[in-house]
Amino acid sequence: MKRILLTGATGRLGSELLQGLNSSYEVCAPTRAELPLSPQTDFYSFFQQTKPHTVVNSGALSDVDYCESHPEEAEETNVLAPQKLAEACRKLNIRLIHISSDYVFSGEKGSPYTEEDEIGGNPNFYGQTKEGAEKAILKANPEAILLRVAWLYGKKGPDFVSSIMDKLRAGSTRIQAVEDQFGSPTSIADLCTHIPYFIERENVKGVFHLVNEGCVSRLEMAKVIADEFGSVCEVCGVTSKNFPRPAKRPKNTSLRSLRLQEAKLPPMPNWEASLREFVRKNQKAPE
Ligand SMILES: NC(=O)C1=CN([C@@H]2O[C@H](COP(=O)(O)OP(=O)(O)OC[C@H]3O[C@@H](n4cnc5c(N)ncnc54)[C@H](OP(=O)(O)O)[C@@H]3O)[C@@H](O)[C@H]2O)C=CC1
Ligand SMILES: Cc1cn([C@H]2C[C@H](O)[C@@H](COP(=O)(O)OP(=O)(O)O[C@H]3O[C@@H](C)C(=O)[C@@H](O)[C@H]3O)O2)c(=O)[nH]c1=O
C-alpha cells in the first residue's frame, strides 16, 4: 500500500481528503506542530524518516483577508515553505502534488483560463503568494504536479456555500450576494474522487485545472443554493464595491481544463449538478 504524506489535514480540503485517502492508502498526516509549513522546517529529514510515495501539500494560509494584513506569514507559509518542501521531494525522488488556486490569475481575461494562460496579476496578496509558490515549486521540482482548484465548498466550512446555507436555515428573508465576481465553484467531494488519479498516474506532471465545469457568479450560486433549499428567500445582487472586504477579489477567475482530457483523465462534473447534490445532502443543520 502506498504511503501518502498529507499536509493541512485539519483544513477544509485536507480533512475530507484524509478520510477519502484512508481507505486506499497508508496516510501520514502530521499536524502543524509536527511539521510546520515554515522555511525553518527540515522537510528533508522528515520525509527521509517517513518515506512517503507522494506528498500532497494541502496546507496553506488560505484566509484571503488575513493574508492581506500578514504578508510575511503568508509568504513564509505559502511560498517559502512549499519551495523547501518541493526541493526535499526532488532530492528524495518523492512525488509532489501541490494544491494551487484560481487566484494565481488576474481575473481580467474575460473568459475561462486554461493551463496555457500566463499567471500573475491577482489583486490580493494571497493570490500573489499562490503565484509565487507555483513558480518556486516548478523551479525547484519540475516533476511536481500543481492542481489549481477554486471556490471550494465542503462539509467542514466555513465557505461561501455554508454561509449562504446558514442564512437560509436561520430563516433570512433577504440574502445579498456579489454579482460581479465569476469563478468555478468546486466540490471538495469531487476533488476527493479525482486527486487519487494523480497519485496513481506515475507519468503526469505540471499544472492541471481541477474545478467543476462552468463559470458562474456568486449571485447565481446563491440562487441555486436557495432554490435547492426550496426557500422563498429573496436573493439580491450587489456589487463588490457594496460588499467591501479588506482584500480585493478578482473579477473572473473561472477555469477550464485542457490537460485533463489530454492526460486521458475523467472530466470533473458540472458545477450546478455538484452544488445541488451537496445542498441536498447537507440541508439539515450539522449536529
Ligand atoms: N478554500 C478555497 O476556496 C480554496 C483553497 N485553495 C487551496 O487549497 C488548499 C487547502 O485550502 P483549505 O482546505 O481551504 O484551507 P484551510 O484554511 O481550511 O486549511 C489550511 C490547513 O493548512 C494548515 N496550516 C496553515 N498554516 C500552517 C503552517 N504554518 N504550518 C502547518 N500547517 C499550516 C492548517 O492547519 P491548522 O488547522 O493547524 O491551522 C490547515 O490544516 C490551500 O492550498 C489553498 O490555498 C485553492 C483554491 C480555493
Ligand atoms: C458570505 C457572503 C460573501 N459574499 C461575497 C464576499 C466576497 O466578495 C465573495 C467571496 O467571499 P469568500 O470570502 O467566501 O471567498 P474568498 O475568500 O474570496 O474565496 C477564495 O478563497 C481562496 C482560498 C481561494 O483560493 C479562492 O479560490 C476563493 O475560494 O462573496 C456575498 O456576496 N454574500 C455572502 O453572503
Side-chain angles (χ1 to χ4, degrees):
M1 198 183 254
K2 287 177 184 141
R3 182 176 300 156
I4 309 299
L5 190 144
L6 174 67
T7 70
T10 52
R12 288 167 288 204
L13 172 59
S15 55
E16 283 191 56
L17 203 48
L18 175 61
Q19 271 200 324
L21 294 175
N22 258 333
S23 53
S24 319
Y25 303 99
E26 185 190 337
V27 188
C28 162
T31 60
R32 175 194 286 258
E34 289 161 344
L35 189 72
L37 289 172
S38 151
Q40 275 80 51
T41 298
D42 186 355
F43 293 101
Y44 185 90
S45 299
F46 197 93
F47 297 163
Q48 208 177 25
Q49 279 159 28
T50 45
K51 294 190 176 35
H53 168 273
T54 299
V55 170
V56 180
N57 185 31
S58 180
L61 208 52
S62 71
D63 182 327
V64 177
D65 293 326
Y66 181 89
C67 286
E68 204 69 11
S69 51
H70 298 78
E72 271 177 37
E73 188 184 343
E75 180 83 10
E76 290 202 349
T77 313
N78 291 357
V79 186
L80 303 178
Q83 175 179 10
K84 204 169 167 197
L85 180 151
E87 279 163 8
C89 287
R90 179 182 49 78
K91 285 184 190 147
L92 292 163
N93 205 18
I94 294 167
R95 280 162 62 76
L96 169 61
I97 298 177
H98 171 79
I99 308 298
S100 188
S101 164
D102 56 326
Y103 280 16
V104 296
F105 292 112
S106 71
E108 296 293 326
K109 183 182 170 191
S111 59
Y113 290 92
T114 73
E115 291 95 344
E116 290 171 358
D117 283 306
E118 210 151 294
I119 62 173
N122 195 279
N124 60 61
F125 192 71
Y126 162 81
Q128 291 158 27
T129 64
K130 298 301 281 187
E131 173 200 346
E134 286 200 3
K135 290 178 175 162
I137 290 170
L138 286 179
K139 195 164 171 209
N141 187 342
E143 299 301 310
I145 297 171
L146 305 182
L147 302 181
R148 290 190 191 131
V149 304
W151 289 23
L152 299 186
Y153 60 88
K155 288 186 188 149
K156 183 164 181 175
D159 51 46
F160 179 81
V161 174
S162 71
S163 40
I164 301 293
M165 286 172 74
D166 285 346
K167 287 177 192 168
L168 294 170
R169 280 191 203 105
S172 302
T173 51
R174 194 167 182 273
I175 291 177
Q176 289 193 320
V178 292
E179 61 194 7
D180 54 0
Q181 286 173 35
F182 295 81
S184 302
T186 300
S187 147
I188 287 178
D190 290 341
L191 291 181
C192 291
T193 306
H194 263 69
I195 289 175
Y197 299 141
F198 292 89
I199 297 173
E200 291 306 316
R201 282 285 189 90
E202 301 281 345
N203 58 345
V204 296
K205 62 178 183 177
V207 175
F208 285 84
H209 287 180
L210 199 61
V211 294
N212 283 129
E213 280 188 358
C215 162
V216 63
S217 69
R218 293 282 189 190
L219 172 63
E220 284 169 82
M221 258 182 105
K223 283 184 174 168
V224 165
I225 298 167
D227 180 60
E228 194 58 47
F229 236 85
S231 166
V232 289
C233 169
E234 186 190 358
V235 184
C236 321
V238 60
T239 61
S240 298
K241 263 200 191 124
N242 290 318
F243 207 116
R245 303 287 292 264
K248 198 171 172 217
R249 278 14 184 219
K251 279 189 213 143
N252 183 349
T253 50
S254 49
L255 305 181
R256 188 161 75 86
S257 179
L258 300 175
R259 292 206 65 214
L260 275 183
Q261 200 182 3
E262 241 172 58
K264 298 194 170 46
L265 290 167
M268 288 280 281
N270 165 268
W271 73 269
E272 187 173 341
S274 287
L275 181 58
R276 285 188 182 276
E277 188 186 350
F278 177 83
V279 174
R280 221 169 22 246
K281 283 188 179 160
N282 295 279
Q283 193 152 356
K284 251 180 71 189
E287 281 164 23

